[in-house]
Amino acid sequence: MNMKFRKVPFEERLHEEINDTFRFLNTSLDLSDIGHIFYWGQVYGNSKSVGYWYVDETTKIIVDSVNGVNYILFRRMIAEVSMFKKMFSDNNMKPYIQVLIDFDMTGSQVIANVTFDSYDWRKLDFDLESVWDYYRVETVGSEYLKNGDNLADVNKMQEYAAEHDETLHYQVVVDDFRSN
Amino acid sequence: MEHKLNVFDEKIERQVDNIFEVINNLVDLTNCSNLWFFGNEYDGLSSVNFWYVGADKRLNEFAEYHSENQGIGEKLTADMLEIDQLLIGQGDRPFRQILINYTVNDDGGIPKISLDYYDWPEIGFPLFAADNYYKSVTVGEKYVKQSDRRVVHEMLAYVNAQENNS
């Protein structure tokens, strides 16, 4: 007999998953000198993409999971994409495609600004590299892109997003794990 | 089981507690007194499962293969892999199977951990027969499908022979 899962209200599950996401980023990475870390995930049919990035305040260089991430951290990031997907389907909500979390660590508490969107970039003919760059530009600005190859695409995507609001925003106060 | 692990490392303990928390957040464990978590790690192929016998004597089992359970499976797999990494960091050899028995009470779950190193495919058993083997030794063979019991008996015979030799 398959196990019956508890139905947890959306806000409660969101709080748990956001906390989990911050907890594993914080255990795997040294976040002590970082103002913001961004977690990004995409679920497109059965395929999932994930990543994180932040700006190193001293070097002003973007540190990016594209350059390699430990396997367990990768599995954990992928797991959250699926957990968010389940959270949406459990609550009969329209599935999201991209999730972006800005963990703001500049204050006394860690605040997570969460955006789920359902922009179908693939259908609109943007490749994954442009999609990545779009979310990087949206969060840290185009000056941190390693090259400007996708900037024209990014601008088109920004125009599209300005005309079509397909986003959901939530703010979650993260339980304090920073001292761990 | 080959090897009983006494949790002495705080980081391992945290992962073991985390597995319980993940399950407890998702499943109503009010009628569960004994919860079993089983993880199988084999050359990058990993699977996780958990089960308990309810008050109605029926087996409640996680089904990782259900697409909507994938996230939970991934989460638990990452915790299991992390326990393995932490053990390796302590100089232990990597395990192939991990079984955690949580005694469930109002405050949470008290874990007992066992590790095994059986290379089932090499010995000649299907990798996924391990699930049935551990279900059989934890809650009884009546919870294993009739058609799967013969293989479980052969695995038990193999384990007994190994233990008598050592």
Side-chain angles (χ1 to χ4, degrees), chain B residues 20-55:
Chain B
F20 182 80
E21 275 313 303
V22 169
I23 298 172
N24 193 29
N25 276 336
L26 294 160
V27 184
D28 184 2
L29 294 177
T30 40
N31 289 315
C32 164
S33 52
N34 255 310
L35 174 73
W36 304 89
F37 168 84
F38 172 64
N40 209 354
E41 162 67 358
Y42 192 84
D43 290 346
L45 272 177
S46 42
S47 64
V48 290
N49 197 359
F50 53 88
W51 58 81
Y52 69 91
V53 176

Side-chain angles (χ1 to χ4, degrees), chain A residues 13-28 39 73 76-77 79-80 83-84 101 103 172 174-175 177, chain B residues 18-19 21-23 25-26 71 75-76 79:
Chain A
R13 174 60 29 94
L14 180 69
H15 182 261
E16 278 169 18
E17 299 308 331
I18 297 295
N19 269 284
D20 259 15
T21 308
F22 187 74
R23 186 173 47 77
F24 65 67
L25 288 172
N26 192 31
T27 28
S28 306
Y39 163 89
L73 177 56
R76 291 197 191 284
M77 292 200 291
E80 287 309 325
M83 295 307 288
F84 291 134
I101 310 172
F103 289 106
V172 176
V174 177
D175 303 334
F177 301 104
Chain B
N18 204 37
I19 290 176
E21 275 313 303
V22 169
I23 298 172
N25 276 336
L26 294 160
K75 256 189 170 183
L76 294 170
D79 286 332

Side-chain angles (χ1 to χ4, degrees), chain B:
Chain B
M1 302 291 284
E2 268 190 13
H3 180 98
K4 303 274 180 223
L5 178 75
N6 293 312
V7 176
F8 46 86
D9 181 275
E10 199 188 315
K11 283 184 179 159
I12 295 177
E13 198 170 351
R14 204 181 295 164
Q15 292 304 320
V16 171
D17 288 345
N18 204 37
I19 290 176
F20 182 80
E21 275 313 303
V22 169
I23 298 172
N24 193 29
N25 276 336
L26 294 160
V27 184
D28 184 2
L29 294 177
T30 40
N31 289 315
C32 164
S33 52
N34 255 310
L35 174 73
W36 304 89
F37 168 84
F38 172 64
N40 209 354
E41 162 67 358
Y42 192 84
D43 290 346
L45 272 177
S46 42
S47 64
V48 290
N49 197 359
F50 53 88
W51 58 81
Y52 69 91
V53 176
D56 57 1
K57 299 284 176 212
R58 293 178 71 166
L59 184 75
N60 292 272
E61 188 178 2
F62 176 61
E64 192 184 12
Y65 52 84
H66 278 210
S67 65
E68 71 161 32
N69 293 346
Q70 268 174 14
I72 303 161
E74 279 284 346
K75 256 189 170 183
L76 294 170
T77 301
D79 286 332
M80 167 185 80
L81 295 176
E82 195 138 352
I83 294 172
D84 208 9
Q85 286 304 309
L86 290 165
L87 288 167
I88 293 167
Q90 293 182 355
D92 218 329
R93 60 183 164 146
F95 60 72
R96 286 215 169 89
Q97 294 88 20
I98 180 167
L99 183 72
I100 309 178
N101 174 209
Y102 296 96
T103 310
V104 184
N105 59 34
D106 294 342
D107 302 323
I110 300 154
K112 279 197 292 290
I113 306 167
S114 316
L115 307 172
D116 275 344
Y117 306 89
Y118 297 117
D119 188 338
W120 292 121
E122 178 68 26
I123 300 161
F125 294 103
L127 182 57
F128 298 104
D131 237 57
N132 291 323
Y133 171 84
Y134 289 94
K135 238 178 282 170
S136 186
V137 297
T138 54
V139 291
E141 86 166 18
K142 64 178 176 197
Y143 294 109
V144 174
K145 260 196 297 183
Q146 189 90 44
S147 55
D148 292 331
R149 288 182 198 163
R150 189 183 52 82
V151 173
V152 171
H153 294 165
E154 288 171 15
M155 293 166 93
L156 278 166
Y158 174 85
V159 171
N160 287 333
Q162 290 293 305
E163 281 175 1
N164 291 336
N165 285 341
S166 60

Side-chain angles (χ1 to χ4, degrees), chain A residues 2 14 29 42 53 58 61 69 73 82 99 102 110 125 130 133 148 152 156 164 175:
Chain A
N2 290 337
L14 180 69
L29 309 166
Q42 184 191 57
W53 62 90
T58 9
I61 287 173
V69 52
L73 177 56
S82 303
V99 55
D102 169 2
V110 179
D125 229 16
S130 298
D133 281 351
K156 275 186 230 159
H164 307 78
D175 303 334

